[in-house]
Amino acid sequence: QVQLVESGGGLVQAGGSHRLSCAASGNIFSINTMGWYRQAPGKQRELVATMTSSGSTNYADSVKGRFTISRDNAKNTVYLQMNSLKPEDTAVYYCAFRPDWGPLLKSIDYWGQGTQVTVSS
């Protein structure tokens, strides 16, 4: 009942910057966590950054200081600003959404289709 559409993937030069966007639509629960995960070839999908609707953030150590996650709650949209990109950042980036219903209800995770980010060097 929640659809996520990522945009902004592409080819970026090492050291450059890039921005991803993800818009959620459908039956949106206003208290939620949105974020970004990525999967590089041959590797497990890993957390990049998340942000709750109240503003709490969490970053992977590998991107701290370089990436910034932000949200526009009115638009149900999450962004990932990527600076100082490295070739190791090359991956398929997935947007994720989890309504925070509390402990009494099972959690449901929604995923976008993924968007390819390639960092050249």
Side-chain angles (χ1 to χ4, degrees):
Q1 294 188 349
V2 175
Q3 296 80 45
L4 302 172
V5 179
E6 302 106 331
S7 61
L11 179 63
V12 189
Q13 185 178 2
S17 298
H18 201 68
R19 191 186 194 193
L20 303 178
S21 300
C22 173
S25 62
N27 295 327
I28 304 299
F29 188 70
S30 60
I31 304 175
N32 58 69
T33 299
M34 297 185 71
W36 295 93
Y37 293 73
R38 67 186 182 187
Q39 187 168 21
K43 295 185 178 180
Q44 180 68 37
R45 185 177 299 185
E46 64 178 356
L47 177 143
V48 178
T50 62
M51 190 173 189
T52 69
S53 49
S54 61
S56 297
T57 60
N58 185 36
Y59 293 92
D61 289 341
S62 60
V63 306
K64 287 181 179 177
R66 299 189 299 120
F67 291 9
T68 302
I69 189 170
S70 60
R71 295 179 54 141
D72 185 336
N73 290 344
K75 297 180 179 179
N76 294 314
T77 300
V78 63
Y79 307 92
L80 185 67
Q81 178 66 45
M82 303 181 290
N83 298 326
S84 301
L85 282 162
K86 306 174 181 179
E88 63 192 77
D89 295 318
T90 295
V92 177
Y93 284 71
Y94 296 90
C95 179
F97 177 96
R98 172 179 287 188
D100 296 331
W101 293 327
L104 299 180
L105 298 175
K106 66 177 182 180
S107 62
I108 300 177
D109 297 328
Y110 298 90
W111 295 90
Q113 79 283 0
T115 186
Q116 176 72 44
V117 175
T118 301
V119 183
S120 63
S121 179

